[in-house]
Amino acid sequence: MVKAIQVGLGHWGFSWTKEVIPKVPAVHMAGYVDANPEAIKRVQVELGIEDKRCFLSLEDAAKGVEADLVIATLRTEAHYPVVRQALELGFNVLVEKPFASTIAQAKELVALAEQQNRILMVSQNYRFQPAPIAAAELIGAQKFGPVNLVSVDFRRHAPSQGYRYWDMPDPLLADMSIHHFDLMRMVLNDDPKRVSCRTWNPPASPFGHHPMGVATVEFEKGTIVSYRGSWMSSGPVTPWAGEWTMDCSEGEICWTSRDHFMGKAGPDRLTTRVRDAQPEAIALQPLDFADRTGTLAAIAKAIASVSVPARFSSGKDNLHSLALVQATILSAGREGAWVDIAEVMA
């Protein structure tokens, strides 16, 4: 049993407290932390959390309870100081994405985790779904030969779907596309080499920053990914993980994942098609722990067994996903000029 302290009980953090953590039996909650007394009161009143397990600071929680893990579910700008403090106090850490605001901060946290001999994991929850796992296995087995081209489309109309973060910088690339970029790396089992990206803000948009973009990503093994994303689309809504077409030398793999929104939910879908043949729907294996419960179960397993589960998004691994985000933002600022990932990583 892994004992944990959750830090950050706001809107998204409360969702973790109520909907995610209780579904992973390998994790026992030792403490809850938030600097806002109202957030503490909410978990006590609505979820029946005892006062003795609630704290206004991580330092107080570390003194008051025994724990192995900190679950950091705060706003992005608070990730770096909280994760750093947690590692310095000797905790393993699971942190929401993106796990730092800059590559320099991220590298520092990765180095600190290694120095402290602790596990740092980023909650890239889209990895823990049946379709991308099946796609990764098909690509890894070269079921249809080498990959020639990957096309990814993400379409949502934020104004009619309850989106609230109109002033967030880079609402597409930094907040949403990081999921898609991380899936590219996982499914292809490859890292990006360079990227060209353009973003823009259409007329009548309530966004303060660019909610639409297109990017071309070149990977180290030569695969090219064409990515199109929009928070202002009037087209058919895609699942959260987008719609993927993976064109290989002997056929194609098409899949979608995380098809749920506002009380509606649909299963992941994956079809394959041998060249010049009809598409075939593939039965997907359900997961014991999916999405955010998947990330939490994975780090609990890593702590308990001292082994790294498949598709584990460590801080060190996730540097490459964060670098792809930073590179696309940099390229967009340069009017679509190619940006090498090495430039950002340096």
Side-chain angles (χ1 to χ4, degrees):
M1 181 72 68
V2 173
K3 297 179 181 179
I5 297 170
Q6 184 187 1
V7 182
L9 307 174
H11 174 74
W12 190 239
F14 185 81
S15 172
W16 273 84
T17 312
K18 181 179 180 180
E19 301 167 7
V20 180
I21 296 172
K23 296 178 181 178
V24 182
V27 175
H28 169 73
M29 290 308 299
Y32 300 84
V33 175
D34 200 291
N36 183 356
E38 291 300 315
I40 294 288
K41 183 177 179 181
R42 184 184 182 191
V43 299
Q44 291 176 337
V45 172
E46 295 189 28
L47 303 181
I49 305 299
E50 305 97 324
D51 179 70
K52 65 180 181 180
R53 289 198 287 162
C54 297
F55 304 89
L56 294 175
S57 72
L58 177 57
E59 185 177 8
D60 289 343
K63 295 176 181 177
V65 297
E66 292 186 4
D68 314 290
L69 170 68
V70 163
I71 306 169
T73 54
L74 315 97
R75 63 191 186 280
T76 298
E77 59 269 25
H79 287 175
Y80 168 74
V82 169
V83 172
R84 178 176 176 175
Q85 182 185 29
L87 291 171
E88 288 174 340
L89 289 170
F91 294 107
N92 300 290
V93 179
L94 173 64
V95 58
E96 269 285 5
K97 60 79 195 170
F99 76 109
S101 298
T102 68
I103 291 293
Q105 289 180 348
K107 283 185 172 182
E108 182 182 335
L109 295 177
V110 168
L112 181 58
E114 292 179 349
Q115 176 186 330
Q116 296 286 91
N117 195 28
R118 291 295 179 265
I119 298 170
L120 170 60
M121 182 185 186
V122 183
S123 182
Q124 293 284 179
N125 53 303
Y126 284 36
R127 290 186 173 210
F128 294 86
Q129 296 289 345
I133 291 174
E137 291 175 348
L138 289 169
I139 296 299
Q142 293 277 290
K143 179 71 174 180
F144 299 100
V147 182
N148 297 327
L149 172 67
V150 178
S151 299
V152 184
D153 287 285
F154 170 77
R155 297 182 299 271
R156 291 272 165 172
H157 187 258
S160 61
Q161 296 183 5
Y163 192 91
R164 303 181 303 159
Y165 309 106
W166 307 115
D167 295 325
M168 177 183 290
D170 303 298
L172 176 67
L173 299 177
D175 185 48
M176 191 65 235
S177 300
I178 186 171
H179 287 296
H180 307 135
F181 295 157
D182 186 69
L183 282 177
M184 292 174 195
R185 295 184 52 247
M186 186 198 92
V187 173
L188 293 171
N189 191 27
D190 198 4
D191 285 324
K193 180 179 181 181
R194 61 175 186 158
V195 63
S196 170
C197 181
R198 292 295 302 270
T199 60
W200 63 97
N201 200 356
S205 165
F207 284 91
H209 303 273
H210 295 181
M212 305 176 75
V214 296
T216 302
V217 187
E218 179 182 345
F219 279 77
E220 293 285 356
K221 296 176 185 176
T223 304
I224 300 294
V225 178
S226 175
Y227 175 76
R228 296 165 295 277
S230 175
W231 275 120
M232 288 296 296
S233 174
S234 295
V237 170
T238 66
W240 288 106
E243 294 177 341
W244 294 62
T245 299
M246 310 187 75
D247 179 42
C248 305
S249 60
E250 301 298 328
E252 68 176 7
I253 304 166
C254 299
W255 58 275
T256 64
S257 180
R258 297 190 86 250
D259 188 12
H260 63 266
F261 188 65
M262 298 180 73
K264 298 180 181 180
D268 281 18
R269 298 183 296 278
L270 186 147
T271 62
T272 60
R273 186 183 63 82
V274 177
R275 189 175 59 238
D276 300 326
Q278 294 299 311
E280 177 186 358
I282 304 300
L284 299 173
Q285 297 299 316
L287 305 180
D288 292 333
F289 298 99
D291 210 73
R292 286 182 287 167
T293 64
T295 66
L296 184 56
I299 193 169
K301 181 178 180 181
I303 293 170
S305 65
V306 198
S307 64
V308 179
R311 295 169 290 277
F312 192 81
S313 183
S314 68
K316 186 175 183 178
D317 173 84
N318 199 248
L319 281 172
H320 299 276
S321 296
L322 183 59
L324 183 49
V325 173
Q326 299 290 342
T328 53
I329 292 172
L330 189 59
S331 175
R334 295 176 180 176
E335 301 296 324
W338 284 98
V339 172
D340 290 337
I341 300 301
E343 176 187 346
V344 177
M345 289 290 280

